Amino acid sequence: MTLTQKRFLVLLVIAVAAFVLGRLVVRAVINLLVGGTLFGGNFL
């Protein structure tokens, strides 16, 4: 595997991880705004 391929693969992995984390953060913020929790129920 050449250096360019390796660099592209690393960037791809980082991009996927950032996308997934971003989706989770958006869901967490929306849940906080509507007064819910991440786990569906209310703790209180």
Side-chain angles (χ1 to χ4, degrees):
M1 187 181 279
T2 65
L3 190 63
T4 309
Q5 282 177 320
K6 204 173 287 184
R7 190 176 296 162
F8 180 73
L9 197 65
V10 169
L11 280 173
L12 191 67
V13 169
I14 291 173
V16 170
F19 176 73
V20 170
L21 284 174
R23 289 283 303 275
L24 284 174
V25 168
V26 168
R27 282 184 59 189
V29 169
I30 290 173
N31 273 316
L32 284 173
L33 287 177
V34 299
T37 66
L38 283 175
F39 309 107
N42 288 325
F43 280 129
L44 299 175

mmCIF file of all heavy atoms in Angstrom:
data_model
loop_
_atom_site.group_PDB
_atom_site.id
_atom_site.type_symbol
_atom_site.label_atom_id
_atom_site.label_comp_id
_atom_site.label_asym_id
_atom_site.label_seq_id
_atom_site.Cartn_x
_atom_site.Cartn_y
_atom_site.Cartn_z
ATOM 1 N N MET A 1 0.851 -1.194 0.000
ATOM 2 C CA MET A 1 0.000 0.000 0.000
ATOM 3 C C MET A 1 0.887 1.245 0.000
ATOM 4 O O MET A 1 1.792 1.372 0.812
ATOM 5 C CB MET A 1 -0.898 -0.025 1.253
ATOM 6 C CG MET A 1 -1.942 1.086 1.263
ATOM 7 S SD MET A 1 -2.965 1.050 2.740
ATOM 8 C CE MET A 1 -4.115 -0.216 2.285
ATOM 9 N N THR A 2 0.609 2.140 -0.907
ATOM 10 C CA THR A 2 1.440 3.338 -0.992
ATOM 11 C C THR A 2 1.047 4.332 0.092
ATOM 12 O O THR A 2 0.020 4.212 0.744
ATOM 13 C CB THR A 2 1.270 4.007 -2.368
ATOM 14 O OG1 THR A 2 -0.074 4.457 -2.487
ATOM 15 C CG2 THR A 2 1.590 3.050 -3.496
ATOM 16 N N LEU A 3 1.868 5.342 0.268
ATOM 17 C CA LEU A 3 1.627 6.358 1.288
ATOM 18 C C LEU A 3 0.339 7.128 0.986
ATOM 19 O O LEU A 3 -0.429 7.437 1.890
ATOM 20 C CB LEU A 3 2.817 7.329 1.334
ATOM 21 C CG LEU A 3 2.820 8.303 2.518
ATOM 22 C CD1 LEU A 3 2.922 7.527 3.826
ATOM 23 C CD2 LEU A 3 3.990 9.263 2.396
ATOM 24 N N THR A 4 0.087 7.388 -0.286
ATOM 25 C CA THR A 4 -1.119 8.126 -0.671
ATOM 26 C C THR A 4 -2.376 7.327 -0.322
ATOM 27 O O THR A 4 -3.330 7.880 0.216
ATOM 28 C CB THR A 4 -1.103 8.432 -2.177
ATOM 29 O OG1 THR A 4 0.146 9.043 -2.502
ATOM 30 C CG2 THR A 4 -2.224 9.373 -2.555
ATOM 31 N N GLN A 5 -2.354 6.041 -0.602
ATOM 32 C CA GLN A 5 -3.501 5.186 -0.278
ATOM 33 C C GLN A 5 -3.725 5.144 1.232
ATOM 34 O O GLN A 5 -4.864 5.207 1.698
ATOM 35 C CB GLN A 5 -3.259 3.774 -0.798
ATOM 36 C CG GLN A 5 -3.494 3.648 -2.296
ATOM 37 C CD GLN A 5 -3.174 2.247 -2.783
ATOM 38 O OE1 GLN A 5 -2.197 1.644 -2.342
ATOM 39 N NE2 GLN A 5 -3.974 1.739 -3.694
ATOM 40 N N LYS A 6 -2.634 5.040 1.977
ATOM 41 C CA LYS A 6 -2.738 4.974 3.430
ATOM 42 C C LYS A 6 -3.329 6.268 3.983
ATOM 43 O O LYS A 6 -4.191 6.254 4.858
ATOM 44 C CB LYS A 6 -1.349 4.713 4.019
ATOM 45 C CG LYS A 6 -1.381 4.057 5.386
ATOM 46 C CD LYS A 6 0.002 3.675 5.851
ATOM 47 C CE LYS A 6 0.526 2.463 5.080
ATOM 48 N NZ LYS A 6 1.836 2.002 5.582
ATOM 49 N N ARG A 7 -2.865 7.394 3.447
ATOM 50 C CA ARG A 7 -3.368 8.702 3.890
ATOM 51 C C ARG A 7 -4.859 8.836 3.570
ATOM 52 O O ARG A 7 -5.642 9.325 4.372
ATOM 53 C CB ARG A 7 -2.569 9.810 3.193
ATOM 54 C CG ARG A 7 -2.838 11.187 3.764
ATOM 55 C CD ARG A 7 -1.956 12.217 3.094
ATOM 56 N NE ARG A 7 -0.546 11.970 3.356
ATOM 57 C CZ ARG A 7 0.443 12.474 2.640
ATOM 58 N NH1 ARG A 7 0.192 13.240 1.596
ATOM 59 N NH2 ARG A 7 1.691 12.212 2.941
ATOM 60 N N PHE A 8 -5.261 8.380 2.394
ATOM 61 C CA PHE A 8 -6.670 8.432 1.992
ATOM 62 C C PHE A 8 -7.535 7.569 2.911
ATOM 63 O O PHE A 8 -8.613 7.979 3.338
ATOM 64 C CB PHE A 8 -6.809 7.948 0.541
ATOM 65 C CG PHE A 8 -8.229 7.968 0.047
ATOM 66 C CD1 PHE A 8 -8.861 9.170 -0.243
ATOM 67 C CD2 PHE A 8 -8.925 6.772 -0.104
ATOM 68 C CE1 PHE A 8 -10.171 9.184 -0.698
ATOM 69 C CE2 PHE A 8 -10.241 6.785 -0.546
ATOM 70 C CZ PHE A 8 -10.866 7.991 -0.846
ATOM 71 N N LEU A 9 -7.038 6.393 3.263
ATOM 72 C CA LEU A 9 -7.766 5.483 4.142
ATOM 73 C C LEU A 9 -7.951 6.100 5.528
ATOM 74 O O LEU A 9 -9.043 6.048 6.100
ATOM 75 C CB LEU A 9 -6.989 4.161 4.245
ATOM 76 C CG LEU A 9 -7.777 2.964 4.778
ATOM 77 C CD1 LEU A 9 -8.891 2.597 3.805
ATOM 78 C CD2 LEU A 9 -6.836 1.785 4.968
ATOM 79 N N VAL A 10 -6.890 6.714 6.056
ATOM 80 C CA VAL A 10 -6.971 7.369 7.364
ATOM 81 C C VAL A 10 -7.986 8.507 7.331
ATOM 82 O O VAL A 10 -8.810 8.643 8.226
ATOM 83 C CB VAL A 10 -5.578 7.879 7.800
ATOM 84 C CG1 VAL A 10 -5.690 8.788 9.016
ATOM 85 C CG2 VAL A 10 -4.666 6.689 8.104
ATOM 86 N N LEU A 11 -7.949 9.319 6.272
ATOM 87 C CA LEU A 11 -8.914 10.413 6.131
ATOM 88 C C LEU A 11 -10.340 9.887 6.057
ATOM 89 O O LEU A 11 -11.258 10.467 6.634
ATOM 90 C CB LEU A 11 -8.598 11.235 4.878
ATOM 91 C CG LEU A 11 -7.474 12.252 5.024
ATOM 92 C CD1 LEU A 11 -7.155 12.878 3.668
ATOM 93 C CD2 LEU A 11 -7.841 13.328 6.026
ATOM 94 N N LEU A 12 -10.538 8.782 5.360
ATOM 95 C CA LEU A 12 -11.866 8.185 5.228
ATOM 96 C C LEU A 12 -12.392 7.726 6.594
ATOM 97 O O LEU A 12 -13.541 8.000 6.945
ATOM 98 C CB LEU A 12 -11.799 7.005 4.262
ATOM 99 C CG LEU A 12 -13.138 6.431 3.816
ATOM 100 C CD1 LEU A 12 -13.882 7.452 2.951
ATOM 101 C CD2 LEU A 12 -12.922 5.137 3.054
ATOM 102 N N VAL A 13 -11.533 7.061 7.361
ATOM 103 C CA VAL A 13 -11.923 6.591 8.694
ATOM 104 C C VAL A 13 -12.286 7.772 9.596
ATOM 105 O O VAL A 13 -13.301 7.754 10.292
ATOM 106 C CB VAL A 13 -10.788 5.751 9.325
ATOM 107 C CG1 VAL A 13 -11.058 5.493 10.797
ATOM 108 C CG2 VAL A 13 -10.642 4.437 8.560
ATOM 109 N N ILE A 14 -11.462 8.831 9.558
ATOM 110 C CA ILE A 14 -11.727 10.016 10.365
ATOM 111 C C ILE A 14 -13.044 10.677 9.949
ATOM 112 O O ILE A 14 -13.835 11.087 10.791
ATOM 113 C CB ILE A 14 -10.541 11.003 10.261
ATOM 114 C CG1 ILE A 14 -9.318 10.405 10.961
ATOM 115 C CG2 ILE A 14 -10.909 12.361 10.866
ATOM 116 C CD1 ILE A 14 -8.061 11.221 10.766
ATOM 117 N N ALA A 15 -13.279 10.746 8.647
ATOM 118 C CA ALA A 15 -14.504 11.364 8.143
ATOM 119 C C ALA A 15 -15.745 10.589 8.608
ATOM 120 O O ALA A 15 -16.731 11.182 9.041
ATOM 121 C CB ALA A 15 -14.464 11.436 6.622
ATOM 122 N N VAL A 16 -15.687 9.262 8.545
ATOM 123 C CA VAL A 16 -16.814 8.438 8.992
ATOM 124 C C VAL A 16 -17.045 8.620 10.493
ATOM 125 O O VAL A 16 -18.177 8.802 10.936
ATOM 126 C CB VAL A 16 -16.563 6.952 8.642
ATOM 127 C CG1 VAL A 16 -17.596 6.055 9.323
ATOM 128 C CG2 VAL A 16 -16.605 6.760 7.138
ATOM 129 N N ALA A 17 -15.970 8.608 11.270
ATOM 130 C CA ALA A 17 -16.089 8.787 12.718
ATOM 131 C C ALA A 17 -16.678 10.157 13.048
ATOM 132 O O ALA A 17 -17.546 10.285 13.907
ATOM 133 C CB ALA A 17 -14.712 8.617 13.379
ATOM 134 N N ALA A 18 -16.222 11.189 12.350
ATOM 135 C CA ALA A 18 -16.732 12.542 12.584
ATOM 136 C C ALA A 18 -18.209 12.632 12.224
ATOM 137 O O ALA A 18 -18.994 13.273 12.927
ATOM 138 C CB ALA A 18 -15.922 13.553 11.765
ATOM 139 N N PHE A 19 -18.615 11.978 11.147
ATOM 140 C CA PHE A 19 -20.017 11.975 10.729
ATOM 141 C C PHE A 19 -20.894 11.324 11.792
ATOM 142 O O PHE A 19 -21.917 11.872 12.197
ATOM 143 C CB PHE A 19 -20.151 11.240 9.393
ATOM 144 C CG PHE A 19 -21.568 11.103 8.926
ATOM 145 C CD1 PHE A 19 -22.249 12.210 8.437
ATOM 146 C CD2 PHE A 19 -22.217 9.879 8.975
ATOM 147 C CE1 PHE A 19 -23.563 12.088 7.998
ATOM 148 C CE2 PHE A 19 -23.527 9.752 8.545
ATOM 149 C CZ PHE A 19 -24.204 10.861 8.055
ATOM 150 N N VAL A 20 -20.463 10.160 12.282
ATOM 151 C CA VAL A 20 -21.235 9.436 13.295
ATOM 152 C C VAL A 20 -21.325 10.250 14.581
ATOM 153 O O VAL A 20 -22.404 10.390 15.163
ATOM 154 C CB VAL A 20 -20.597 8.050 13.555
ATOM 155 C CG1 VAL A 20 -21.237 7.380 14.772
ATOM 156 C CG2 VAL A 20 -20.760 7.161 12.326
ATOM 157 N N LEU A 21 -20.190 10.810 15.026
ATOM 158 C CA LEU A 21 -20.190 11.630 16.244
ATOM 159 C C LEU A 21 -21.072 12.853 16.066
ATOM 160 O O LEU A 21 -21.794 13.242 16.976
ATOM 161 C CB LEU A 21 -18.755 12.054 16.603
ATOM 162 C CG LEU A 21 -17.897 10.959 17.231
ATOM 163 C CD1 LEU A 21 -16.467 11.437 17.396
ATOM 164 C CD2 LEU A 21 -18.466 10.515 18.571
ATOM 165 N N GLY A 22 -21.013 13.465 14.901
ATOM 166 C CA GLY A 22 -21.837 14.636 14.624
ATOM 167 C C GLY A 22 -23.315 14.314 14.708
ATOM 168 O O GLY A 22 -24.089 15.068 15.296
ATOM 169 N N ARG A 23 -23.714 13.169 14.148
ATOM 170 C CA ARG A 23 -25.117 12.747 14.227
ATOM 171 C C ARG A 23 -25.533 12.547 15.677
ATOM 172 O O ARG A 23 -26.623 12.945 16.083
ATOM 173 C CB ARG A 23 -25.314 11.427 13.459
ATOM 174 C CG ARG A 23 -25.231 11.567 11.953
ATOM 175 C CD ARG A 23 -26.482 12.169 11.332
ATOM 176 N NE ARG A 23 -27.677 11.397 11.657
ATOM 177 C CZ ARG A 23 -28.096 10.330 10.999
ATOM 178 N NH1 ARG A 23 -27.403 9.881 9.961
ATOM 179 N NH2 ARG A 23 -29.197 9.705 11.365
ATOM 180 N N LEU A 24 -24.653 11.920 16.486
ATOM 181 C CA LEU A 24 -24.974 11.690 17.895
ATOM 182 C C LEU A 24 -25.119 13.002 18.657
ATOM 183 O O LEU A 24 -26.021 13.152 19.478
ATOM 184 C CB LEU A 24 -23.879 10.828 18.552
ATOM 185 C CG LEU A 24 -23.921 9.345 18.203
ATOM 186 C CD1 LEU A 24 -22.714 8.637 18.793
ATOM 187 C CD2 LEU A 24 -25.206 8.704 18.725
ATOM 188 N N VAL A 25 -24.231 13.960 18.367
ATOM 189 C CA VAL A 25 -24.304 15.264 19.038
ATOM 190 C C VAL A 25 -25.603 15.972 18.679
ATOM 191 O O VAL A 25 -26.285 16.522 19.548
ATOM 192 C CB VAL A 25 -23.072 16.128 18.673
ATOM 193 C CG1 VAL A 25 -23.274 17.571 19.111
ATOM 194 C CG2 VAL A 25 -21.818 15.544 19.326
ATOM 195 N N VAL A 26 -25.980 15.940 17.401
ATOM 196 C CA VAL A 26 -27.227 16.575 16.971
ATOM 197 C C VAL A 26 -28.419 15.943 17.681
ATOM 198 O O VAL A 26 -29.295 16.640 18.189
ATOM 199 C CB VAL A 26 -27.380 16.461 15.432
ATOM 200 C CG1 VAL A 26 -28.792 16.837 14.995
ATOM 201 C CG2 VAL A 26 -26.358 17.354 14.739
ATOM 202 N N ARG A 27 -28.450 14.623 17.767
ATOM 203 C CA ARG A 27 -29.548 13.941 18.458
ATOM 204 C C ARG A 27 -29.577 14.310 19.932
ATOM 205 O O ARG A 27 -30.653 14.513 20.505
ATOM 206 C CB ARG A 27 -29.399 12.421 18.319
ATOM 207 C CG ARG A 27 -29.853 11.931 16.962
ATOM 208 C CD ARG A 27 -29.801 10.413 16.871
ATOM 209 N NE ARG A 27 -30.646 9.799 17.904
ATOM 210 C CZ ARG A 27 -30.667 8.499 18.173
ATOM 211 N NH1 ARG A 27 -29.892 7.692 17.500
ATOM 212 N NH2 ARG A 27 -31.456 8.016 19.104
ATOM 213 N N ALA A 28 -28.410 14.396 20.554
ATOM 214 C CA ALA A 28 -28.339 14.743 21.972
ATOM 215 C C ALA A 28 -28.885 16.151 22.208
ATOM 216 O O ALA A 28 -29.646 16.382 23.150
ATOM 217 C CB ALA A 28 -26.890 14.632 22.468
ATOM 218 N N VAL A 29 -28.507 17.094 21.350
ATOM 219 C CA VAL A 29 -28.971 18.479 21.497
ATOM 220 C C VAL A 29 -30.480 18.560 21.315
ATOM 221 O O VAL A 29 -31.180 19.194 22.108
ATOM 222 C CB VAL A 29 -28.240 19.401 20.487
ATOM 223 C CG1 VAL A 29 -28.906 20.776 20.433
ATOM 224 C CG2 VAL A 29 -26.769 19.531 20.875
ATOM 225 N N ILE A 30 -31.007 17.889 20.292
ATOM 226 C CA ILE A 30 -32.455 17.901 20.059
ATOM 227 C C ILE A 30 -33.187 17.278 21.247
ATOM 228 O O ILE A 30 -34.200 17.799 21.707
ATOM 229 C CB ILE A 30 -32.793 17.167 18.740
ATOM 230 C CG1 ILE A 30 -32.297 17.996 17.547
ATOM 231 C CG2 ILE A 30 -34.291 16.906 18.629
ATOM 232 C CD1 ILE A 30 -32.423 17.293 16.216
ATOM 233 N N ASN A 31 -32.662 16.193 21.765
ATOM 234 C CA ASN A 31 -33.287 15.550 22.918
ATOM 235 C C ASN A 31 -33.281 16.468 24.132
ATOM 236 O O ASN A 31 -34.263 16.533 24.871
ATOM 237 C CB ASN A 31 -32.568 14.238 23.255
ATOM 238 C CG ASN A 31 -33.140 13.071 22.460
ATOM 239 O OD1 ASN A 31 -34.344 12.944 22.339
ATOM 240 N ND2 ASN A 31 -32.276 12.246 21.921
ATOM 241 N N LEU A 32 -32.182 17.194 24.342
ATOM 242 C CA LEU A 32 -32.131 18.138 25.455
ATOM 243 C C LEU A 32 -33.156 19.249 25.261
ATOM 244 O O LEU A 32 -33.821 19.665 26.211
ATOM 245 C CB LEU A 32 -30.723 18.745 25.585
ATOM 246 C CG LEU A 32 -29.674 17.826 26.208
ATOM 247 C CD1 LEU A 32 -28.297 18.469 26.125
ATOM 248 C CD2 LEU A 32 -30.019 17.517 27.659
ATOM 249 N N LEU A 33 -33.281 19.728 24.024
ATOM 250 C CA LEU A 33 -34.216 20.813 23.742
ATOM 251 C C LEU A 33 -35.662 20.397 23.983
ATOM 252 O O LEU A 33 -36.463 21.185 24.469
ATOM 253 C CB LEU A 33 -34.047 21.302 22.295
ATOM 254 C CG LEU A 33 -32.782 22.117 22.041
ATOM 255 C CD1 LEU A 33 -32.694 22.468 20.557
ATOM 256 C CD2 LEU A 33 -32.768 23.385 22.871
ATOM 257 N N VAL A 34 -36.006 19.165 23.632
ATOM 258 C CA VAL A 34 -37.390 18.730 23.817
ATOM 259 C C VAL A 34 -37.616 18.103 25.192
ATOM 260 O O VAL A 34 -38.707 17.643 25.490
ATOM 261 C CB VAL A 34 -37.852 17.751 22.703
ATOM 262 C CG1 VAL A 34 -37.778 18.433 21.342
ATOM 263 C CG2 VAL A 34 -37.037 16.482 22.738
ATOM 264 N N GLY A 35 -36.582 18.088 26.021
ATOM 265 C CA GLY A 35 -36.742 17.633 27.392
ATOM 266 C C GLY A 35 -36.655 16.124 27.576
ATOM 267 O O GLY A 35 -36.965 15.605 28.639
ATOM 268 N N GLY A 36 -36.232 15.415 26.542
ATOM 269 C CA GLY A 36 -36.085 13.973 26.661
ATOM 270 C C GLY A 36 -34.680 13.596 27.069
ATOM 271 O O GLY A 36 -33.852 14.455 27.390
ATOM 272 N N THR A 37 -34.413 12.298 27.077
ATOM 273 C CA THR A 37 -33.055 11.828 27.323
ATOM 274 C C THR A 37 -32.602 11.035 26.106
ATOM 275 O O THR A 37 -33.410 10.691 25.242
ATOM 276 C CB THR A 37 -32.993 10.914 28.554
ATOM 277 O OG1 THR A 37 -33.725 9.733 28.267
ATOM 278 C CG2 THR A 37 -33.584 11.595 29.775
ATOM 279 N N LEU A 38 -31.333 10.683 26.057
ATOM 280 C CA LEU A 38 -30.803 9.901 24.947
ATOM 281 C C LEU A 38 -31.364 8.490 24.929
ATOM 282 O O LEU A 38 -31.313 7.813 23.923
ATOM 283 C CB LEU A 38 -29.277 9.804 25.053
ATOM 284 C CG LEU A 38 -28.507 11.039 24.639
ATOM 285 C CD1 LEU A 38 -27.024 10.842 24.909
ATOM 286 C CD2 LEU A 38 -28.707 11.327 23.170
ATOM 287 N N PHE A 39 -31.890 8.025 26.063
ATOM 288 C CA PHE A 39 -32.254 6.620 26.165
ATOM 289 C C PHE A 39 -33.755 6.397 26.053
ATOM 290 O O PHE A 39 -34.258 5.360 26.425
ATOM 291 C CB PHE A 39 -31.722 6.053 27.488
ATOM 292 C CG PHE A 39 -30.264 6.358 27.673
ATOM 293 C CD1 PHE A 39 -29.856 7.306 28.587
ATOM 294 C CD2 PHE A 39 -29.308 5.705 26.902
ATOM 295 C CE1 PHE A 39 -28.520 7.599 28.743
ATOM 296 C CE2 PHE A 39 -27.976 5.994 27.051
ATOM 297 C CZ PHE A 39 -27.581 6.938 27.980
ATOM 298 N N GLY A 40 -34.492 7.433 25.566
ATOM 299 C CA GLY A 40 -35.902 7.250 25.290
ATOM 300 C C GLY A 40 -36.808 7.659 26.437
ATOM 301 O O GLY A 40 -37.786 8.348 26.234
ATOM 302 N N GLY A 41 -36.483 7.231 27.660
ATOM 303 C CA GLY A 41 -37.335 7.534 28.800
ATOM 304 C C GLY A 41 -36.859 8.771 29.538
ATOM 305 O O GLY A 41 -35.877 9.403 29.164
ATOM 306 N N ASN A 42 -37.548 9.117 30.591
ATOM 307 C CA ASN A 42 -37.110 10.223 31.452
ATOM 308 C C ASN A 42 -36.502 9.648 32.722
ATOM 309 O O ASN A 42 -37.041 8.702 33.298
ATOM 310 C CB ASN A 42 -38.291 11.139 31.811
ATOM 311 C CG ASN A 42 -38.739 11.955 30.612
ATOM 312 O OD1 ASN A 42 -37.923 12.350 29.790
ATOM 313 N ND2 ASN A 42 -40.033 12.169 30.493
ATOM 314 N N PHE A 43 -35.398 10.219 33.155
ATOM 315 C CA PHE A 43 -34.771 9.734 34.376
ATOM 316 C C PHE A 43 -35.545 10.183 35.614
ATOM 317 O O PHE A 43 -35.578 9.513 36.618
ATOM 318 C CB PHE A 43 -33.324 10.241 34.485
ATOM 319 C CG PHE A 43 -32.372 9.441 33.651
ATOM 320 C CD1 PHE A 43 -31.515 10.062 32.775
ATOM 321 C CD2 PHE A 43 -32.332 8.062 33.748
ATOM 322 C CE1 PHE A 43 -30.634 9.330 32.000
ATOM 323 C CE2 PHE A 43 -31.457 7.326 32.979
ATOM 324 C CZ PHE A 43 -30.604 7.959 32.109
ATOM 325 N N LEU A 44 -36.175 11.366 35.509
ATOM 326 C CA LEU A 44 -36.861 11.918 36.684
ATOM 327 C C LEU A 44 -38.262 11.361 36.804
ATOM 328 O O LEU A 44 -38.989 11.333 35.831
ATOM 329 C CB LEU A 44 -36.901 13.446 36.578
ATOM 330 C CG LEU A 44 -35.517 14.101 36.539
ATOM 331 C CD1 LEU A 44 -35.667 15.588 36.315
ATOM 332 C CD2 LEU A 44 -34.762 13.849 37.839
#
